[in-house]
Amino acid sequence: MERQILMQNQMRERQMAMQVAWSREILKYFGAFFTVVTVGLTVGAIKRKKPFLLAPIVPLGCIFAYQIDSAYGTLIYRIRGEAESIMMSEHDRLDLPHGTPTFDSIEKARRARSSLASFLEK
């Protein structure tokens, strides 16, 4: 049992590391996109004297800030803290529909599926 818990924890850590690495990779691409768009819109707004062309920079800047926070900031710690809070004070939100599966419910579903498969074969 202890080995299984350790294995599951290692898998969880690897998945989280992959998510952080994914965020950092996405940040590189989005950062390049954001830079090109910001420079292009700024030049266009100055040349055409239309300041409304700068409007898309605001939502793109919010997305960029989120990506930075996700890749290098404290977003993961805040999410973990919120998850811990939910687990402590709002545990009823985590209940599964029809409750936690039991051995009997799994066996019942397995038997029903195998009897259906044998019925369809006939």
Side-chain angles (χ1 to χ4, degrees), residues 43-122:
V43 168
I46 291 171
K47 280 188 174 183
R48 297 177 187 220
K49 297 183 181 177
K50 295 181 179 180
F52 68 86
L53 289 175
L54 298 173
I57 293 174
V58 174
L60 290 174
C62 292
I63 295 169
F64 189 54
Y66 174 82
Q67 290 292 334
I68 290 171
D69 192 24
S70 175
Y72 294 102
T74 59
L75 178 67
I76 193 74
Y77 302 114
R78 293 193 313 270
I79 290 172
R80 185 182 307 143
E82 185 64 24
E84 289 172 356
S85 173
I86 290 168
M87 290 176 74
M88 296 298 291
S89 62
E90 302 175 52
H91 197 270
D92 59 318
R93 290 184 181 259
L94 306 177
D95 292 340
L96 293 171
H98 300 292
T100 304
T102 63
F103 178 77
D104 291 333
S105 68
I106 293 169
E107 278 299 303
K108 184 179 176 183
R110 186 187 64 76
R111 278 190 231 114
R113 188 173 300 144
S114 67
S115 66
L116 178 63
S118 64
F119 175 75
L120 292 175
E121 287 176 359
K122 293 179 183 180

